[in-house]
């Protein structure tokens, strides 16, 4: 897969994350401003946090036109057709899993390219993948879903990020590794949804 | 208007934003620490976010004495005389509108001067104007007002920021443009308050 | 005290802050992901904010292995043995006070070393000390404790930070000053807990 293939996937991932932000705005009965803000923050927040940390400023979200416009299109879509979007939610979740896989892999890669250690690059890969959703929930006035709902969401991202960092340590390069790690994280995420796999709670905390 | 005119207005805007932060602290029954923190964050948060994004570090708030002292004075004022401040709330809201107008204009200008695209500069102008209020509400444990209350608050800022960016694209420079954009955003904001203009909710979401 | 003494104390402070994050996760019934995230953010958040502001990127938390691993160890401890940890809470609070003292002093020092003014360095010293706890509470869906609970928590940090800045202004250097300021903030914090000293609320706000 060439760079333009990654770019198209990147925008697709951003778009789907923005849809999830827009749907959160509908649920919270926000207005058009809230919808646009949640769409943009959910889609771009993780990458912005990563870029601030590695010192790549302005962050990509503030240099690329498509990064700002894709969430805007998603916000318009959800604004007018949210009942229809809600009806195809399983498909949205599938695309969200694809975004998760892609962003954990590309986020880790970018951190490694900026000279961060494998451990810290994995951390930033996960931040790239789940940071936008955490900001979406904080802005919606609720505890971030990823912190309590016991779905496998951050863990597949952690796995995908680790594969990218391990491959780099083994001096394996190329888009194939990134794509493979993304597909792995995506697959685990989809399997976890299908089979209802759960993360553990601290010992002794009842369900 | 010369640079010192802008500077004085800037400090006035920061002061009024800080007053709104202090009043939020009274409403939430915070202590003196909460009051000072909310006053500082409400006043300086938007500009700090903008400066982190464009890479102008330390942000102006951390290099200027006045930027830190003005909110402190506002906090002292609200701490001792908040009943009186609440009584002149319409005046506070008028000054808040002035701060909104000024910050959307100067924020956009600074982003343009740092080489960001017109679209991204407009975005950062709006962040400068509304970012502090969003952080104030997040710290107060509530959904940011600007995301749901359907008042025209972010939209006048968007308009003022767009005028600044458009003027730059037409190679119009000078303080007159900035002042004009600020006055425009201020006027729309005040008209919206007077006439109760409302932003739309997503289609089909009942009032 | 040599640099390695400070380093060991630093890691100890991070560890104890992470324990407080882990305990918050137990209280909120978060899962393992929430526990690790809260442990890391509580421990490292203040220093990350400081480093972003002064432009020292990547922040120390993203270059040091120990900074990431210490909170992870704390999370594992709290995950399996939180009833035992809760039982020794007074000791945890004592260590937390030590972390508070240490971080306000070292945070101020780092800001001074990066050329910030005494006032802004004091501000960043306090941010270093209390920023992680504020982020912990925001992620837990509650108003940050430090803003309303009227305990002396930010104020001892402010005092310790001021001592470091004043010593620098008097051209007093050396680890003794930092250690002294840290011990002072620690002592005030412990005395405040013992004697139930309270910060004031805005005038006229009933208890």
């Amino acid at each position: 897969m060439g760079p333009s293939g990654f770019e198209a996937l990147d925008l697709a991932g951003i778009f789907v994350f923005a849809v999830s932000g827009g749907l959160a705005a509908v649920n919270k009965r926000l207005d058009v401003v809230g919808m646009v803000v949640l769409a943009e923050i959910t889609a771009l927040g993780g990458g912005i946090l990563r870029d601030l940390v590695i010192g790549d400023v302005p962050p990509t979200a503030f240099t690329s036109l498509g990064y700002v416009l894709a969430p805007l299109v998603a916000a318009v879509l959800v604004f007018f057709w949210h009942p229809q979007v809600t009806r195809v939610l399983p498909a949205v979740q599938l695309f969200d899993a694809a975004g998760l896989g892609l962003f954990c892999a590309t986020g880790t890669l970018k951190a490694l390219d900026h000279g961060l250690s494998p451990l810290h690059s994995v951390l930033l890969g996960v931040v790239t993948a789940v940071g936008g959703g955490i900001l979406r929930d904080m802005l919606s006035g609720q505890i971030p879903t990823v912190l309590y709902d016991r779905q496998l969401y951050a863990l597949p991202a952690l796995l995908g990020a680790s594969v990218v960092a391990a491959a780099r340590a083994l001096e394996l390069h190329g888009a194939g590794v990134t794509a493979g790690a993304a597909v792995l994280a995506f697959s685990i995420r989809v399997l976890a949804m299908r089979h209802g796999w759960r993360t553990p709670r601290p010992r002794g905390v009842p369900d």
Side-chain angles (χ1 to χ4, degrees), chain A:
Chain A
M1 194 159 48
S4 69
F6 269 117
E7 237 169 73
L9 266 180
D10 211 28
L11 281 179
I14 282 173
F15 182 83
V16 180
F17 274 28
V19 167
S20 105
L23 289 176
V26 173
N27 284 335
K28 295 284 170 178
R29 310 186 69 245
L30 307 186
D31 65 8
V32 63
V33 172
M35 173 156 290
V36 169
V37 170
L38 277 203
E40 295 282 351
I41 291 274
T42 310
L44 308 177
I48 292 173
L49 290 177
R50 175 204 58 210
D51 289 350
L52 289 178
V53 164
I54 62 179
D56 182 30
V57 288
T60 314
F62 287 90
T63 57
S64 146
L65 215 63
Y67 272 53
V68 173
L69 294 182
L72 210 58
V73 173
V76 169
L77 180 86
V78 175
F79 191 86
F80 287 108
W81 296 284
H82 57 89
Q84 287 83 342
V85 173
T86 308
R87 223 170 295 146
V88 295
L89 206 58
V92 172
Q93 289 181 322
L94 213 64
F95 280 107
D96 183 89
L100 184 81
L102 187 71
F103 291 154
C104 73
T106 55
T108 307
L109 206 60
K110 186 166 184 178
L112 287 167
D113 287 343
H114 276 75
L116 270 73
S117 80
L119 176 72
H120 293 102
S121 299
V122 165
L123 200 62
L124 277 183
V126 177
V127 166
T128 309
V130 310
I134 287 179
L135 291 174
R136 173 199 64 209
D137 292 345
M138 290 177 77
L139 283 166
S140 311
Q142 57 175 62
I143 299 181
T145 316
V146 72
L147 302 184
Y148 70 87
D149 82 344
R150 307 186 57 198
Q151 286 201 32
L152 262 63
Y153 195 85
L155 292 181
L158 182 64
L159 190 68
S162 304
V163 168
V164 171
R168 175 65 61 97
L170 300 168
E171 295 190 24
L172 292 167
H173 295 272
V177 168
T178 314
V183 168
L184 177 70
F186 166 76
S187 307
I188 303 280
R189 169 69 184 136
V190 171
L191 283 171
M193 283 194 284
R194 288 277 153 83
H195 298 287
W197 291 343
R198 292 265 174 238
T199 61
R201 279 243 188 70
R203 205 163 65 167
V205 172
D207 285 337

